[in-house]
Amino acid sequence: MTASPLRHAAPGDGTRAHSRAHRNARTAVAVAGVLAIALLGTAACGKKGDPQATASANTVITDSPGASASALPSASAAATAQSSPTSGSGNGNGNGNGAPSFPTTAKDYGLATLAAWASGSKSKLDQYAVQAAVAQFMGHGKPNTQWSNLNCEVSGSGRTACNYRNAHGDDARLTMEDTQLGHPTATVDVFLNRTDYATNAAGYVGYFMAAWGDGNKQRMARFSSSSIANMFSGKTPPTGSQTEATQNGGTWTVKVTGLPLGSGNWTFTVSGGKLGNGNAITAVTFD
C-alpha cells in the first residue's frame, strides 16, 4: 500500500520565440499568442495530480509499514491495490520496498489481521481492518501470537467469516469483505472472546468447566496444565454444574457437581496465590 508513487515529469522542452526587429506588430502579437497557449498547456500538465500509488503484495507484515489504510483517499483507491498471485499469512517481505501484501483468501487475511493485532502496532492493524474493527481490537490488549484457523463460512452477501483460536484459548471471529480480499482493509467486523482469569476459586473452576463445554482445550490448559486438560479428553461435559469451595491456607478445594445430577462429580485443587492468573488449578480427581 505504501509503494512510492510514480511521478510524471513535467514537460522539459520550452517554446522559444525569436523576435526580429523588422517584424510588424501583428506578427509580434501572433507569436505572443502562441507563447501564451504553450505556457497554459505546460501549467495544466504541472497541475495534474500524481497517480495513486498501488500496493505491492508480496508480504503481509513488515517492520516498517508505510501509510495506514485510514490514510487512503477512498475505498476505491484501496481497491486498485495489486494483489499477489499467492496469498500470505502475515510474515516476511519479499517485494524489497517495505510495503505489505494482502492475502487473497479470507482464512489467510484473517490470520494476517490477527498478526497485526498481536504486533501491538495500530499502524499495521490499520492496513488490514476498517477503523470500527480496529477500535474493537485495540480495546482488548495484546494477545498471544499463536493463532490457528478453526473454520470459515459465508456470512451474508459478499462476506466471509472465519473463526480462530490461539494457544491461550482466546477466540476471535473475523468477517472479511470478499471483494476487498487482496487489498487493504478487508476485515470489516470482529468478535473477540479473551480468556479471563477469575479471582475466586469457585469462579475459576467454573470457567474451566465452561471451557470444557466449549471444547476449548487451549483455555482449559491455561487454567490448569496440559496434563490436566488431557484428563478430560473424550469425556462428555455436563450441561451445567454446581460448585462448593473451601479454603485451607493458601489452597482451595472446589467440589463440582455436574448437572443434570448423575453427569459426574469432580474435585479441584486450586492455588490461591495464582488466582487471577494462569495455571491456578493444580490437581483434579474424578469422584
Side-chain angles (χ1 to χ4, degrees):
M1 147 193 324
T2 58
S4 299
L6 301 174
R7 299 184 180 273
H8 290 301
D13 295 330
T15 303
R16 295 182 179 180
H18 298 280
S19 61
R20 297 179 185 276
H22 63 275
R23 287 186 176 173
N24 58 29
R26 180 176 297 174
T27 305
V29 171
V31 172
V34 172
L35 279 170
I37 292 172
L39 290 171
L40 286 172
T42 303
C45 183
K47 289 180 180 178
K48 272 182 132 181
D50 292 334
Q52 295 295 332
T54 57
S56 175
N58 295 321
T59 60
V60 174
I61 296 295
T62 67
D63 291 331
S64 303
S68 68
S70 60
L72 291 169
S74 66
S76 61
T80 64
Q82 296 174 352
S83 61
S84 171
T86 58
S87 62
S89 60
N91 299 309
N93 181 4
N95 56 25
N97 62 9
S101 67
F102 300 97
T104 56
T105 67
K107 170 187 171 182
D108 288 338
Y109 205 105
L111 287 171
T113 304
L114 291 168
W117 174 35
S119 75
S121 170
K122 182 179 181 298
S123 63
K124 288 182 179 180
L125 190 54
D126 283 342
Q127 298 175 85
Y128 296 93
V130 299
Q131 287 304 299
V134 170
Q136 290 174 283
F137 277 117
M138 300 308 290
H140 283 84
K142 191 175 176 181
N144 171 268
T145 62
Q146 299 169 280
W147 291 94
S148 299
N149 173 254
L150 301 179
N151 55 61
C152 291
E153 59 192 9
V154 174
S155 179
S157 177
R159 291 184 174 184
T160 300
C162 295
N163 295 299
Y164 304 89
R165 180 173 292 160
N166 67 13
H168 285 189
D170 299 328
D171 284 332
R173 180 178 176 85
L174 277 60
T175 301
M176 275 69 67
E177 194 78 39
D178 293 340
T179 56
Q180 198 66 9
L181 293 172
H183 308 300
T185 62
T187 302
V188 296
D189 187 55
V190 58
F191 173 79
L192 302 172
N193 181 356
R194 299 292 306 275
T195 297
D196 187 26
Y197 304 98
T199 56
N200 64 87
Y204 202 101
V205 172
Y207 283 174
F208 177 94
M209 296 295 289
W212 181 23
D214 292 338
N216 192 335
K217 188 175 179 180
Q218 293 89 334
R219 183 171 292 180
M220 293 169 67
R222 286 294 296 175
F223 288 137
S224 55
S225 64
S226 294
S227 59
I228 290 176
N230 287 337
M231 294 171 61
F232 292 81
S233 295
K235 294 180 170 57
T236 302
T239 57
S241 62
Q242 294 177 334
T243 59
E244 179 185 351
T246 57
Q247 185 178 14
N248 184 12
T251 301
W252 288 83
T253 299
V254 181
K255 293 184 177 294
V256 178
T257 302
L259 299 175
L261 294 177
S263 300
N265 298 283
W266 305 266
T267 300
F268 292 82
T269 301
V270 181
S271 170
K274 292 184 177 181
L275 289 172
N277 295 290
N279 312 117
I281 297 173
T282 58
V284 61
T285 59
F286 290 72
D287 301 335

